[in-house]
Structure formats: C-alpha cells, structure tokens
Amino acid sequence: MPLHFELVTPERLVRSEEVHMVVVPGTEGDFGVLEGHAPFMSTIRDGALAVYRTERGEPETVAISGGFAEVNARGLTVLAERVG
C-alpha cells in the first residue's frame, strides 16, 4: 500500500501524493517512513527529503529548512519553514 505524503509550508501546500517511502532529516537523525508506520512526531533540521515513488526507484530529493514531521493514521505530513 502507498504512503500518503504531504509537504506544507506556511504559505501553501507544496505537494500531496501517494509514495512508497520518504526519508526525513530529523533533528535526532534521518528516519524513513513507510505505510503503516507508528504515530510519530519530530522536529526536522535543514536538509533534504528523499521521496521514493516506488520500492526500487531512485529517490527525488527536496531541500527543506526546519519545521516538523508528523506521522499518523492518514500518512506523513512535513511542515517545513521553507522548501527549495
């Protein structure tokens, strides 16, 4: 099953899509999120998200600055201060 992923800034919804996995640059270290991940919340550091659309695909990287990541029953939401 795919993971629902949303990337949001204070100004707008940057993306909302179904993906295989996202690796997030957490302040305590990088963490990967797949469908069915336990509920989780973390602050994020400046870095890059790695978005895997398929299990064996190459990741797309998206530069982000600060914010929070939340995993819940609906999926993963990254609330970034800035994207790009």
Side-chain angles (χ1 to χ4, degrees):
M1 281 194 75
L3 168 71
H4 184 72
F5 166 59
E6 290 191 346
L7 177 57
V8 182
T9 67
E11 293 80 32
R12 65 188 174 99
L13 173 63
V14 177
R15 59 173 59 185
S16 177
E17 60 190 332
E18 306 299 313
V19 299
H20 174 69
M21 179 175 74
V22 179
V23 178
V24 181
T27 53
E28 301 294 318
D30 292 358
F31 59 93
V33 179
L34 294 160
E35 174 63 28
H37 195 289
F40 181 77
M41 183 171 252
S42 175
T43 53
I44 52 178
R45 68 181 193 283
D46 295 356
L49 296 170
V51 181
Y52 293 82
R53 294 187 188 282
T54 63
E55 186 174 353
R56 290 182 169 61
E58 288 294 313
E60 172 191 358
T61 57
V62 180
I64 59 170
S65 297
F68 296 89
E70 179 183 14
V71 180
N72 59 34
R74 293 185 309 276
L76 167 66
T77 301
V78 174
L79 307 161
E81 292 170 12
R82 276 193 321 275
V83 174

